[in-house]
Amino acid sequence: MSKWTRRGLLTAGTAAGAVALIGAGSPAPRRREPLDIVTGEDGLSTPATAAAGAVTFRVRTTSTRTGNVGIARLRHGIGEASFRRHLRDVFEKKSPEDVIQASKDLMADAELMGGAMAVCGSQSSFTACLPPGPYLVLEYKDFEGPYVGRDPLPGAEYVRPLLVRTADDAGAGGRRPFATVTAVDTARGPRFVLEGRLRRDRPLRYVNAMRGQVDELAVYPLTDDSVTEADIQRYFQDTRLPAPFELKAQLGTPPLSPGRSAVIEMPLEQGRYALTSWVVSMKDAQRLSAHGQVLIVTVL
């Protein structure tokens, strides 16, 4: 996530989430089958349609140059070409002023619904609440340049249409998460707050409660027990330093617009993990984790 979400910045949005009220004697909502997304250097396979409500996607990648899959919804009157161009700008622009402007342009183009980061040989999943309408499924690494993704020509990035149709009932979105990680603004800067316990066999809910700031959740296993949150913050302040974790082991979710949430399932093992963000601040174009948005957690 080189510049924005190593990677830089993305879009604004409104609060999301769905609460299902089940009356006495009402049948329980049927559980929907997850929809499969497979990304790799030989192609991107995505569902063409989905029923509105809580939709679960399973994500697999066949290459280290792919595996950062997200969902976006274009705002009224915005074309796909504009979205592609501004997303590239977020990664390619150099000056802080240009990066922030590119991020503002992208925020005006689309609302980001999150997604899943996957690694070869395993599977990740995410659940998002999607109202009816047209969406895009995209491979973020395609926009990040030659040192991260496939580096396709402009217009040839992996972007696929997804039509979410009206459903008779919202259905059941998947297993209940045991923990919630929330991105928040504090007097000390952006932070992650954990409620509950992270378990290797349970989903995690991620909430972006930042004001006017997109954010992601990039998760890395820590194999060195001596690594501290301060060490990780220093690395994000100067990525020329040795990384305190294996960059290719990244899991989590790509950016969500402010107020959005998603439930993600990751192939986690027991042990220590770093919760980080490569997204850059709308205030100074520095990575949010460089400002202290780092949290070391233990998965049980």
Side-chain angles (χ1 to χ4, degrees):
M1 318 198 183
S2 38
K3 189 163 250 185
W4 172 94
T5 163
R6 182 163 73 214
R7 274 175 233 300
L9 256 173
L10 290 148
T11 119
T14 57
V19 177
L21 301 179
I22 308 299
S26 299
R30 60 182 177 82
R31 186 173 299 280
R32 296 175 177 169
E33 290 298 315
L35 303 178
D36 289 309
I37 299 174
V38 181
T39 180
E41 293 189 59
D42 55 349
L44 173 65
S45 173
T46 67
T49 63
V55 186
T56 298
F57 299 88
R58 292 183 300 212
V59 179
R60 290 189 297 111
T61 182
T62 60
S63 170
T64 59
R65 296 169 68 85
T66 57
N68 193 351
V69 173
I71 305 287
R73 187 174 190 180
L74 299 183
R75 302 191 190 280
H76 181 71
I78 298 298
E80 184 179 315
S82 175
F83 172 77
R84 289 178 185 257
R85 182 175 67 255
H86 291 146
L87 182 52
R88 271 190 175 262
D89 285 346
V90 165
F91 295 103
E92 294 179 353
K93 296 298 183 181
K94 302 302 181 184
S95 73
E97 295 79 10
D98 288 343
V99 173
I100 291 173
Q101 183 58 54
S103 300
K104 289 179 178 179
D105 291 340
L106 189 59
M107 291 168 70
D109 283 349
E111 185 153 6
L112 304 184
M113 316 298 289
M117 300 172 183
V119 296
C120 292
S122 64
Q123 178 177 278
S124 298
S125 71
F126 70 101
T127 301
C129 185
L130 303 180
Y135 293 79
L136 298 176
V137 181
L138 65 145
E139 170 60 72
Y140 278 107
K141 285 188 177 181
D142 269 10
F143 294 86
E144 295 185 40
Y147 303 109
V148 177
R150 299 183 311 124
D151 195 29
L153 293 173
E157 305 91 353
Y158 285 162
V159 178
R160 302 287 186 268
L162 171 68
L163 179 62
V164 175
R165 62 184 186 277
T166 302
D168 293 334
D169 64 82
R175 299 191 299 157
R176 181 174 63 86
F178 263 34
T180 297
V181 172
T182 305
V184 298
D185 294 298
T186 74
R188 296 178 297 129
R191 294 293 186 268
F192 290 126
V193 175
L194 172 64
E195 297 178 69
R197 294 185 175 183
L198 292 175
R199 295 175 52 114
R200 62 181 297 273
D201 58 346
R202 298 297 301 185
L204 163 70
R205 180 179 298 280
Y206 173 61
V207 179
N208 178 11
M210 303 277 283
R211 297 186 295 272
Q213 170 76 61
V214 299
D215 205 357
E216 69 176 0
L217 182 66
V219 180
Y220 297 95
L222 295 176
T223 57
D224 184 349
D225 289 341
S226 68
V227 171
T228 66
E229 292 175 358
D231 295 331
I232 297 171
Q233 182 176 356
R234 280 192 292 271
Y235 168 69
F236 277 91
Q237 290 169 343
D238 183 0
T239 54
R240 295 170 297 181
L241 297 172
F245 38 67
E246 176 55 54
L247 292 171
K248 291 183 178 180
Q250 180 193 58
L251 298 168
T253 174
L256 281 80
S257 293
R260 288 286 173 186
S261 68
V263 175
I264 55 177
E265 292 194 56
M266 300 171 281
L268 303 178
E269 300 297 332
Q270 293 179 339
R272 297 171 79 232
Y273 286 79
L275 308 185
T276 69
S277 175
W278 291 91
V279 173
V280 303
S281 168
M282 286 291 289
K283 298 176 181 178
D284 61 5
Q286 297 300 307
R287 298 175 179 90
L288 294 176
S289 284
H291 285 297
Q293 195 175 54
V294 176
L295 184 64
I296 292 179
V297 298
T298 299
V299 175
L300 304 176

